[in-house]
Amino acid sequence: MKKKLILGIDVGGTSIKFGVVKDNRILSEISLPTFAYENPKRVLKQVETGIIQIFNKYSLNDFSGIGIGFPGVVDVENGIVTSAPNFANWKKVEVRKTLTKFGLPIFIDNDANCAALGELYFGRGRELTNFVMVTLGTGVGGGIIINRKLFRGESGGAGEIGHITIDYSGPLCKCGKKGCVEAYAGNSYIKQRTIHKLHEYPDSLILKLVEHDLEKIEPKVINDAALKGDQLAIKILRETGFYIGIGLANIANTLDIKHFIIGGGISNAGPILLNSIKNSIKEHGVKNIVKNVKVLSAQLKNKAGILGAASLVLSNLRMK
Ligand SMILES: [Zn+2]
């Protein structure tokens, strides 16, 4: 690729981040509000405004393409965002078509796939041939990398790790099924379990950190408390890791993949969660397959959105 710059756009529920990426660095970055609660037209207007602001500073001719990560279901081939649960009035929106006026190749994918590709090109996956990326947040998402390519499956839906059932009679998941990994490891479920257990730990640091306002319990608070040795927070992280590990053991058994990269909110606590995921994979997987399993933390952290979006351009242009 002769042109050295890539524009990576990370569309989030509250803000859209735009970053000019060169090699593995973000040269400059801007952020605009998404207005996701209004309508698709308004959101796309924000995307256009950001692109124009970037091209006021940089020459369009220096860019090889634009990559867009979107939190929804994406028809990658046609550049259409089919649905986006946290965006108002969103149904089959032609994102790429709206932006073709800029004259650059545009690639769109969902944020979990972007996270996997971002780690592949810029992060922990640079040296790996095969790995599975798990993103923890409101939902539990994933991306499967095989032979350094994203595996999309027959209809583009591969990597729905959050909806692997680990107990067919378990708690109800938002998807309508029972006992999904997400129903144990999604943010709101972790919060519920924490609140439920607080009466056993009345002196938990978690209560102090949220000033006794239970609504404020979120992954960061649990991480902070765990890092300070809070027993409830550590218990919650270990349990969460145990549940995630059962799901990942099933993937390991199926694909014989040895490396799992974990990113997103609650993974920032580090070894407590990662070790319990690893132990659980070893406990639940086929011995010969999982004996050397490695559970790694994602490397890109707060750059994951922009670099992940930018990696779409790399993966698509390299394939051609
Ligand atoms: Zn589910």
Side-chain angles (χ1 to χ4, degrees):
M1 266 195 304
K2 278 193 200 114
K3 295 176 179 179
K4 287 283 189 293
L5 301 181
I6 297 172
L7 175 53
I9 304 176
D10 172 28
V11 181
T14 49
S15 68
I16 309 174
K17 297 194 184 81
F18 304 77
V20 177
V21 176
K22 186 185 181 190
D23 302 325
N24 56 354
R25 286 175 305 137
I26 299 173
L27 300 183
S28 77
E29 193 179 330
I30 56 171
S31 176
L32 294 175
T34 310
F35 300 126
Y37 49 84
E38 290 194 18
N39 55 62
K41 221 173 167 183
R42 186 82 168 97
V43 175
L44 288 177
K45 189 83 205 150
Q46 290 299 90
V47 174
E48 282 181 44
T49 305
I51 295 175
I52 291 165
Q53 283 185 23
I54 295 284
F55 291 153
N56 282 339
K57 246 177 104 185
Y58 291 85
S59 165
L60 194 146
N61 293 325
D62 292 335
F63 285 83
S64 56
I66 300 175
I68 306 175
F70 208 99
V73 179
V74 180
D75 170 353
V76 173
E77 208 153 300
N78 298 306
I80 295 170
V81 178
T82 315
S83 66
N86 300 312
F87 286 60
N89 306 310
W90 199 285
K91 212 178 165 207
K92 283 200 177 167
V93 178
E94 303 237 22
V95 176
R96 181 157 64 207
K97 213 171 176 182
T98 317
L99 303 171
T100 45
K101 63 184 103 167
F102 293 104
L104 286 171
I106 295 170
F107 306 100
I108 307 164
D109 209 331
N110 74 61
D111 45 3
N113 283 344
C114 287
L117 287 170
E119 289 294 327
L120 175 72
Y121 284 104
F122 301 113
R124 199 70 78 194
R126 271 173 305 180
E127 312 287 327
L128 300 175
T129 309
N130 307 302
F131 68 88
V132 169
M133 172 85 200
V134 184
T135 46
L136 303 173
T138 310
V140 175
I144 302 164
I145 301 289
I146 294 175
N147 287 329
R148 296 196 60 77
K149 284 199 183 112
L150 185 72
F151 177 76
R152 296 181 186 278
E154 300 262 340
S155 57
E160 286 289 358
I161 291 167
H163 302 290
I164 292 175
T165 299
I166 58 173
D167 178 355
Y168 62 82
S169 57
L172 194 65
C173 176
K174 265 180 287 188
C175 73
K177 316 257 186 265
K178 282 181 179 173
C180 297
V181 171
E182 187 170 304
Y184 297 88
N187 283 352
S188 60
Y189 301 97
I190 294 175
K191 180 177 171 178
Q192 278 171 25
R193 273 193 292 123
T194 308
I195 293 173
H196 189 70
K197 289 215 164 76
L198 268 170
H199 67 273
E200 291 171 44
Y201 297 84
D203 299 325
S204 171
L205 182 60
I206 293 174
L207 275 174
K208 290 189 195 92
L209 291 175
V210 298
E211 293 161 327
H212 292 263
D213 179 356
L214 301 185
E215 273 312 300
K216 287 190 189 157
I217 293 177
E218 54 159 357
K220 188 180 180 318
V221 173
I222 297 169
N223 287 346
D224 289 350
L227 291 171
K228 288 186 173 139
D230 183 72
Q231 287 308 305
L232 173 59
I234 291 171
K235 187 181 169 71
I236 293 289
L237 288 180
R238 284 194 181 139
E239 273 180 14
T240 305
F242 176 82
Y243 294 129
I244 295 169
I246 301 173
L248 299 190
N250 288 316
I251 297 178
N253 287 354
T254 312
L255 299 176
D256 189 11
I257 279 180
K258 308 257 187 258
H259 292 87
F260 293 88
I261 300 179
I262 316 291
I266 202 148
S267 70
N268 292 332
I272 304 169
L273 181 76
L274 300 182
N275 285 335
S276 75
I277 294 176
K278 185 167 93 177
N279 292 338
S280 176
I281 296 175
K282 286 192 169 177
E283 187 182 334
H284 297 98
V286 172
K287 215 175 197 166
N288 277 334
I289 294 175
V290 298
K291 66 179 181 219
N292 293 320
V293 71
K294 300 253 183 329
V295 178
L296 312 163
S297 64
Q299 207 174 349
L300 302 183
K301 311 275 183 207
N302 58 353
K303 293 181 185 162
I306 287 175
L307 290 180
S311 65
L312 287 177
V313 178
L314 290 177
S315 76
N316 280 285
L317 293 183
R318 271 181 199 176
M319 278 195 295
K320 282 173 185 162

